Amino acid sequence: MSHFGSKHLEPADPEATCRGIAYKDLSPEQQEMSDILYNMERHDLDLLGIADLGRDGIFRFLDADRNIHYAVALRPALIKALLDRSPYDKEEEKFWRGVDGTKVPDEQWYNPSSGVLPPPLSEEHRKEGREINEKNKEKFDKIREDSKNYKERLVYIESDNKLE
């Protein structure tokens, strides 16, 4: 996700991080986010891709060259749902407040303005990624197979961002 990794962290609610929530018990926004994340996980590992929430509020699956294979506009409630799955970060909350991907014209989802996407993966990182994929192929295949049952996995909400 763009802009993650800030050092302005406050401790997450220890109670909240200990309990996973079943899909059926999630809020509608968290259920929708689980569905979106499942679509991101289904892409070919050979693409060496990443899921990236652009500064424009469009959540994209990008390959190593940063070609866009999947994009979805996130309204503020879905940006919050995604952020809430990570530890609280005051600077992140502040940055994402007011961002609404649904206001981005459709043609910009797959052709964003300069600076929205991260730079392409370096050759060194591509080589490293291919080696990791090869070394862990069986493990990754099992994870991908298990992900088909994503509605049976618990979701951990680690924060409660205030974006609106």
Side-chain angles (χ1 to χ4, degrees), residues 68-100:
I68 302 165
H69 292 263
Y70 174 77
V72 60
L74 299 187
R75 63 186 184 276
L78 290 178
I79 294 172
K80 174 187 170 22
L82 184 60
L83 293 176
D84 286 353
R85 292 177 182 220
S86 297
Y88 178 75
D89 183 317
K90 188 178 196 175
E91 293 301 311
E92 289 297 315
E93 179 185 65
K94 184 177 170 183
F95 175 84
W96 292 107
R97 195 171 290 134
V99 175
D100 185 347

Side-chain angles (χ1 to χ4, degrees), residues 4 7 15 20 28 34-35 40 42 45 51 68-69 74 83 103 117 125-126 130 136 146-147 149 154 156:
F4 269 46
K7 307 247 186 287
E15 294 269 319
S34 287
D35 299 341
M40 295 282 183
R42 294 182 359 201
L45 289 176
I68 302 165
H69 292 263
L74 299 187
L83 293 176
K103 294 180 179 178
L117 301 179
H125 285 112
R126 289 172 201 243
R130 285 189 290 271
N136 296 294
D146 291 348
S147 77
N149 302 318
L154 295 178
Y156 295 86

